Amino acid sequence: MRARRLLVPLVLALALTPTGTLRAAAPAGSEAKAPAAPVDVLDTVTPGGLDIAPGAVGSWTVGEVSVEIGGDAGLRVRSQGRTVWSAPSAGAFVTGGRGAVSWEENRGYFWPTVTYTDRLADQSVDTAVATDARVEVSGRLSGPGAPGGAASYTLTVRPRPGGGAALDVTTVADTPLTSVALVSGRSAHAGVHGFGEQFTDFDLDGRLVPIVDREQGVGRGEEPITALADLTNHGAGGTRDMTYAAWPSFVTGDLRGLRLDAAVASSTAFAVADTRDPEAVSLEVWSPSLAAQASAADTPARLVAAQQAGDRRAPLAAWATRGAIVGLQGGTREVRRELGRLLDAGADISGVWIQDWTGKRTTSFGDRLWWTWQLDRERYPGWSRLVRRLRSLGISTTTYVNPFLVDAAPKNDPRIRNLWAEARDRGFLVTDGSGAPYLQDQGEFEASLVDLTDPAARSWFAEVIARYVLADGVRGFMADFGEGLPFDARLHSGTPATLHNRWPTLWAKTVRTACRRAEQPRCVTWFRSGGPGQAEHAPLFWNGDQLVTFGPEDGLASALLGTLSAGVSGWPLVHSDIGGYTSVNAYVKNYVRTPELLARWAEYQAFGVVMRTHEGNRPADNPQVFSTRATARAFARATRIFEALRPYRERVVRASTRTGVPAVRPVWLVAPDSAAAASDTEFFLGRHVLVAPVLEPGATSVSVSFPPGRWIHLLTGRSYAGGRAAEVPAPVGRPAAFVREGGPWSTRLLARFGGVGPRQHTG
């Protein structure tokens, strides 16, 4: 009942053009003209020339970090004998700009337009000085015809605790700069991975990537839904660049990484990553300064660990990984009935997720919730007894909350507080330019964000969550949204320009405070929006609102890609909604999940960190895991796979929380020198279990690119030679998953999988 906010119904009359594309049917006597969807207008300062003064050429060392200026690379930074950062082979490595970013917004979708008045693309290196703690490299930034004049800059290089180097850029000018970029060198077309949760490609070479959290869109290129969403909902179809969680963090195939320092305010300003130069990666931040951290290692996994070194990460409660967490709703009686069907089918369940605990409101998009954050006692009579009964069965209860409040008056429930009115009266809401509560259109209702920059408001809201959301033995919740702070809002402290991308972290801090106040420091919460520093407060993440399809644009396959990129960006534990979420009757095509998709998604997530289902925005129109005996049996079988992996998964989850290396890993992270490393349709759970999920409808086999060694199919026992590709049978119920032969887990896992499926030892 959360939503991607595609809330205006797709009910425009539609017609097909002679070429088969869609257009809106115009009223009689008028000319048809479809409104143009908003687009990102991105730009960056292209690096210009580099001039190094003779007196600046040389080498300087501070602790374990050395800075070399001159030679093939204009500047190189080494730590512990390894290059952790270098400038491009030619051209500037610091640039600056003066200009502006304007924003168009619609229901949580944001489109930037970047414009410049000055482009300071040319750089000089005039001096380099070493002190006891740092090396300072200084010079000027200039550009032809820049009306604001040149600027001076200082690049400060320091050892980073735990290894690597800190690189801080500051600028000074009579007319201050509005943006600054650090340009990192790489070998030609070396892979670029990360920048948060990117759903389209794991390798982002050749792209302009905007770093802004926002709604990801409905369809994202899959047709006809994207065109229809754009046409009827002002650009809600989305693009490949849209994501709930964009991070200024990347790693490369050269085994180097760079990220902005989460502790510095400018690190969450809007930024643009430019990977179009095959030998460079530019990260331009819309701030006059930036603070970065550079890392390097001898393997991809060690690189990610080095980049995440020193970060604190919240632990995930063990119960969340011991069985499935099943999304149920509809009231006390319905929850009991639906859960009973799954238990009768033999499903292994450790939790339920009841999102409509606060009451249902129906919109044209589908079922939504009352964002009043108090129990709907009519819908859930005997709530506390239900939670206690489930707990006696070893099943924990989780619910739902987000950082918005709605006016409770229209709900007509005298038993609940009107939290929106209380927050309004105490000045705890984000406001608009007039100082009034900022009412954000959610599609047929409005809501206001709690102002999380106000410590008093944050404390008040944490108390609300502790008192109501975590009451009666509830052990966690989906912590939704976080990406919706408008850029024209007024805040208690700071501005949206630097706080929009930090909002998910403020939200996670608020949630973690609520858990502590409820005396549940390990309550299980999961987030879809994200940013730097958030993992300290958030143990678990999810991909957000996928379409109920297999598609790589916005379906099952996109969830895998998002998980892989998020994993190397700073989210070590990521999962997805089994079955997808967004279902839309687009009239020319009705997007509903199929039992096959439901089964395949469950198989995929059975090899993940958490196995959680979602009924979707149109529960009655989509098959559920409990709908029939067949869907219940298929789901129960997937949960037995999840259970068979339990001891291995628990070890992987603990290691991921400790090191920051993701639990679900691209093959590149485990077998970087193999042909299989290029695959982004396979993944590893930890280091020893290889999975090739079925990502296409109707498929009964899957092509698997095996890394070196021998690999044993966990469900059939068949052995496959590594270093080659093979077509592996994968009917529903028998996913293609393998353990490394002779590895430390092969014997134990094969024994645990013995009761899951038939074994066919064929050697």
Side-chain angles (χ1 to χ4, degrees), residues 14-315:
L14 297 168
L16 285 174
T17 68
T19 60
T21 57
L22 290 163
R23 62 173 173 81
S30 67
E31 181 180 353
K33 185 176 182 180
V39 296
D40 295 345
V41 180
L42 301 177
D43 200 358
T44 60
V45 175
T46 302
L50 175 65
D51 180 29
I52 301 176
V57 175
S59 177
W60 294 261
T61 300
V62 175
E64 295 183 334
V65 168
S66 64
V67 177
E68 302 167 3
I69 300 178
D72 293 338
L75 187 145
R76 185 183 305 274
V77 179
R78 298 174 66 85
S79 175
Q80 300 175 335
R82 178 179 288 116
T83 298
V84 296
W85 186 86
S86 68
S89 58
F93 56 85
V94 175
T95 67
R98 296 185 183 97
V101 181
S102 60
W103 294 92
E104 183 172 354
E105 187 269 340
N106 182 51
R107 296 179 181 149
Y109 295 84
F110 299 91
W111 295 271
T113 294
V114 174
T115 56
Y116 290 98
T117 55
D118 283 353
R119 299 174 187 262
L120 307 185
D122 298 320
Q123 176 190 6
S124 70
V125 176
D126 301 332
T127 64
V129 178
T131 68
D132 291 341
R134 62 181 61 86
V135 177
E136 293 184 349
V137 180
S138 300
R140 291 175 63 79
L141 304 176
S142 59
S152 62
Y153 76 91
T154 298
L155 169 65
T156 302
V157 182
R158 296 175 284 108
R160 180 187 171 209
L167 289 74
D168 301 338
V169 179
T170 57
T171 62
V172 176
D174 292 338
T175 303
L177 301 187
T178 53
S179 70
V180 63
L182 184 63
V183 187
S184 305
R186 58 172 170 148
S187 61
H189 291 293
V192 182
H193 315 295
F195 292 121
E197 189 177 33
Q198 299 294 330
F199 292 99
T200 306
D201 299 295
F202 181 62
D203 185 354
L204 299 171
D205 180 36
R207 294 271 298 273
L208 268 182
V209 181
I211 309 299
V212 58
D213 293 346
R214 51 186 168 173
E215 292 277 350
Q216 72 165 29
V218 178
R220 296 168 48 85
E222 178 165 331
E223 300 298 357
I225 186 62
T226 303
L228 291 171
D230 282 344
L231 177 67
T232 63
N233 286 265
H234 196 66
T239 69
R240 67 176 184 169
D241 296 324
M242 290 183 165
T243 174
Y244 303 108
W247 292 35
S249 170
F250 68 92
V251 294
T252 72
D254 292 327
L255 300 183
R256 300 178 197 165
L258 187 84
R259 67 175 186 173
L260 298 189
D261 186 345
V264 177
S266 63
S267 295
T268 47
F270 172 66
V272 179
D274 188 348
T275 66
R276 294 174 299 178
D277 183 336
E279 296 184 348
V281 179
S282 170
L283 184 57
E284 184 169 354
V285 182
W286 278 81
S287 167
S289 63
L290 65 80
Q293 299 170 335
S295 304
D298 57 357
T299 69
R302 289 174 181 165
L303 171 61
V304 173
Q307 188 173 69
Q308 304 300 324
D311 291 359
R312 300 177 61 185
R313 284 168 286 275

Side-chain angles (χ1 to χ4, degrees), residues 434-452:
S434 71
Y438 201 126
L439 295 172
Q440 294 182 243
D441 181 12
Q442 305 298 319
E444 301 171 39
F445 68 94
E446 295 177 322
S448 300
L449 282 168
V450 176
D451 189 344
L452 302 180

